[in-house]
C-alpha cells in the first residue's frame, strides 16, 4: 500500500499544470537550515483592508502546483477577495512524532507571519485545509497551532492516535471522507504503522470539544451527477458561540477531492464525486469565522 500511495502522489506532483502557474508568486524561507518553498495567489482588488488567508496543504509527495490544480480556490478568492497559499512539504508532511529534522508546524507558523506582514493578510482570519497527508498535517496544526488558526477543513484524512498531541482548543472543523477510500480507511485503524481515528470518532471528538449539540442537522445530497456517489452531511452546532462541526460522508467516494479532477483511475484511488464542490463548501464554512481574543 505504501508503494501505491507513493506512485499516486508522485504522479500528481510531476505533472505540469500551465493554468496553475498563472498569477502565482514563488516564495521561500529557511527554517532550521532547511529551505522551504510556497506558492501564493493574491486576487486583484481595489479595496483597502486586510484579506483572509487560506493555506492549502497538498498530499504526500505532491506539490503546490498540483494542489492548486486539484483544489482550485482561485475563483472564490477572486470573488470574495482572500489570499491562497500552497506550501511545499519535504516529500511528506511530518504530522507524526518523528520529525526527522523537519518541523512543519514551525514552518507553517512562520509562513503565516510572513504572509500577514508581506501581503497584509488578516491574522484573525487564517484558515487551513488539506488532503490525505496534508489533511493529517492540518489536524496536527489544529492541535498545536490553534492560537493562529480560525478554522480547519480536512479531506480524506483523520487524526493520528498517540502521536503526542491531541485536540485542545475549540475550533470550527469540517471533514470530508469517502466511505470507500482505499488509502485512508473511513473506519480508521492502522495506516503505515500508526493508528488513526475513524471518521465518526474524530467528528465525535470535535463535537465534544466544541460543546456542540449531540444531534446533528442531517442533509442528504442525492446523486444528481449520476456518478454512483451521494453525500450525507451532518452538521453539529453550538448555538451559544456559533461553533460548528460538519461531516460530509461521500458514499462510494474514494481518496479524492470532491469536485476535483480524477488524478488516477478509480480502481486505484476510488471515485471523485461530482455531487459536491469541496472548495466551495470549505470556503463557505471558513468565511464567517475569526479568532477570538
Amino acid at each position: 500500500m505504501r508503494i501505491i500511495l507513493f506512485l499516486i502522489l508522485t504522479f500528481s506532483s510531476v505533472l505540469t499544470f500551465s493554468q496553475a502557474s498563472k498569477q502565482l508568486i514563488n516564495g521561500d524561507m529557511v527554517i532550521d537550515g532547511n529551505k522551504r518553498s510556497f506558492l501564493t495567489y493574491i486576487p486583484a482588488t481595489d479595496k483597502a483592508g486586510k484579506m483572509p488567508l487560506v493555506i492549502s496543504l497538498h498530499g504526500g509527495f505532491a506539490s503546490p502546483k498540483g494542489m492548486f490544480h486539484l483544489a482550485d480556490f482561485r475563483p472564490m478568492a477572486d470573488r470574495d477577495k482572500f489570499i491562497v497559499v500552497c506550501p511545499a512539504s519535504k516529500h511528506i508532511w511530518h504530522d507524526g512524532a518523528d520529525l526527522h529534522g523537519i518541523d512543519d508546524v514551525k514552518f507553517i507558523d512562520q509562513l503565516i507571519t510572513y504572509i500577514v506582514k508581506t501581503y497584509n493578510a488578516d491574522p484573525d482570519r487564517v484558515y487551513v485545509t488539506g488532503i490525505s497527508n496534508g489533511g493529517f498535517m492540518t489536524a496536527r496544526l489544529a492541535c498545536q497551532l490553534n492560537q493562529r488558526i480560525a478554522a480547519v477543513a480536512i479531506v480524506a484524512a483523520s487524526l493520528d492516535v498517540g502521536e503526542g498531541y491531541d485536540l485542545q482548543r475549540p475550533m470550527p472543523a469540517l471533514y470530508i471522507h469517502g466511505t470507500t477510500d482505499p488509502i485512508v480507511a473511513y473506519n480508521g485503524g492502522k495506516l503505515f504503522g500508526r493508528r488513526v481515528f475513524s471518521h465518526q470518532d474524530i467528528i465525535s471528538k470535535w463535537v465534544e470539544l466544541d460543546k456542540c449539540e449531540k444531534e446533528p442537522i442531517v442533509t442528504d445530497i442525492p446523486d444528481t451527477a449520476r456518478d454512483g456517489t451521494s453525500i450525507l452531511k451532518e452538521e453539529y452546532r453550538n448555538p451559544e458561540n456559533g461553533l460548528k462541526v460538519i461531516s460530509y460522508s461521500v458514499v462510494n467516494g474514494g481518496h479524492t477531492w470532491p469536485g476535483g479532477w480524477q488524478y488516477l483511475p478509480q480502481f486505484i484511488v476510488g471515485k471523485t464525486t461530482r455531487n459536491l464542490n469541496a472548495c466551495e463548501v470549505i470556503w463557505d464554512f471558513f468565511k464567517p469565522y475569526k479568532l477570538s481574543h
Side-chain angles (χ1 to χ4, degrees):
M1 184 61 75
R2 185 185 294 271
I3 294 174
I4 292 174
L5 183 59
F6 176 82
L7 291 174
I8 289 169
L9 297 173
T10 302
F11 177 83
S12 300
S13 68
V14 299
L15 293 178
T16 299
F17 305 115
S18 59
Q19 181 181 359
S21 299
K22 294 178 181 178
Q23 301 175 300
L24 297 179
I25 303 167
N26 286 287
D28 59 69
M29 60 177 59
V30 176
I31 307 293
D32 297 332
N34 297 299
K35 183 179 178 181
R36 307 305 303 267
S37 61
F38 50 93
L39 288 178
T40 304
Y41 179 74
I42 311 292
T45 180
D46 55 4
K47 295 181 180 179
K50 301 178 185 294
M51 286 190 285
L53 168 61
V54 172
I55 298 174
S56 182
L57 303 182
H58 62 71
F61 304 103
S63 70
K65 283 186 179 180
M67 191 59 179
F68 266 106
H69 183 64
L70 178 66
D72 194 355
F73 284 95
R74 287 173 294 179
M76 284 128 273
D78 288 336
R79 181 188 68 213
D80 293 342
K81 307 308 177 188
F82 62 91
I83 299 166
V84 186
V85 177
C86 289
S89 70
K90 286 291 189 181
H91 305 302
I92 63 169
W93 295 107
H94 292 79
D95 62 288
D98 191 347
L99 301 181
H100 298 283
I102 306 296
D103 190 339
D104 284 323
V105 175
K106 186 175 182 179
F107 170 38
I108 300 302
D109 189 21
Q110 294 195 16
L111 177 63
I112 292 170
T113 298
Y114 174 85
I115 298 298
V116 167
K117 289 182 177 179
T118 306
Y119 299 111
N120 199 32
D122 187 342
D124 291 333
R125 299 190 68 194
V126 176
Y127 314 105
V128 183
T129 186
I131 183 173
S132 190
N133 175 223
F136 280 102
M137 189 66 216
T138 301
R140 177 163 196 165
L141 295 171
C143 297
Q144 296 188 303
L145 210 60
N146 48 56
Q147 76 281 5
R148 306 207 68 183
I149 298 169
V152 293
I154 292 167
V155 179
S158 176
L159 177 70
D160 293 309
V161 178
E163 286 296 308
Y165 56 86
D166 203 351
L167 306 180
Q168 297 178 345
R169 176 181 172 273
M171 180 188 299
L174 178 150
Y175 279 74
I176 303 173
H177 206 151
T179 62
T180 56
D181 186 327
I183 309 299
V184 179
Y186 181 84
N187 292 323
K190 291 186 177 180
L191 180 69
F192 306 146
R194 291 185 283 171
R195 290 190 304 121
V196 302
F197 287 101
S198 71
H199 177 77
Q200 192 53 57
D201 283 345
I202 192 59
I203 292 297
S204 296
K205 280 176 69 69
W206 275 111
V207 168
E208 182 178 358
L209 180 65
D210 288 355
K211 294 181 170 54
C212 294
E213 296 174 337
K214 300 299 183 182
E215 292 300 319
I217 299 170
V218 178
T219 305
D220 289 305
I221 302 174
D223 183 14
T224 55
R226 299 185 178 182
D227 59 14
T229 69
S230 59
I231 316 293
L232 175 65
K233 177 186 178 183
E234 297 168 293
E235 180 175 318
Y236 300 84
R237 297 179 176 180
N238 181 328
E240 294 184 4
N241 58 21
L243 290 181
K244 292 182 182 180
V245 177
I246 299 182
S247 160
Y248 286 93
S249 295
V250 184
V251 181
N252 294 325
H255 195 72
T256 51
W257 185 275
W261 70 298
Q262 184 74 37
Y263 59 92
L264 278 179
Q266 290 183 15
F267 74 89
I268 298 177
V269 296
K271 291 183 178 181
T272 299
T273 183
R274 301 296 164 194
N275 295 300
L276 188 73
N277 183 321
C279 291
E280 287 283 2
V281 299
I282 288 171
W283 171 241
D284 284 345
F285 175 73
F286 282 162
K287 61 186 178 182
Y289 293 109
K290 60 175 12 180
L291 282 175
S292 58
H293 298 282

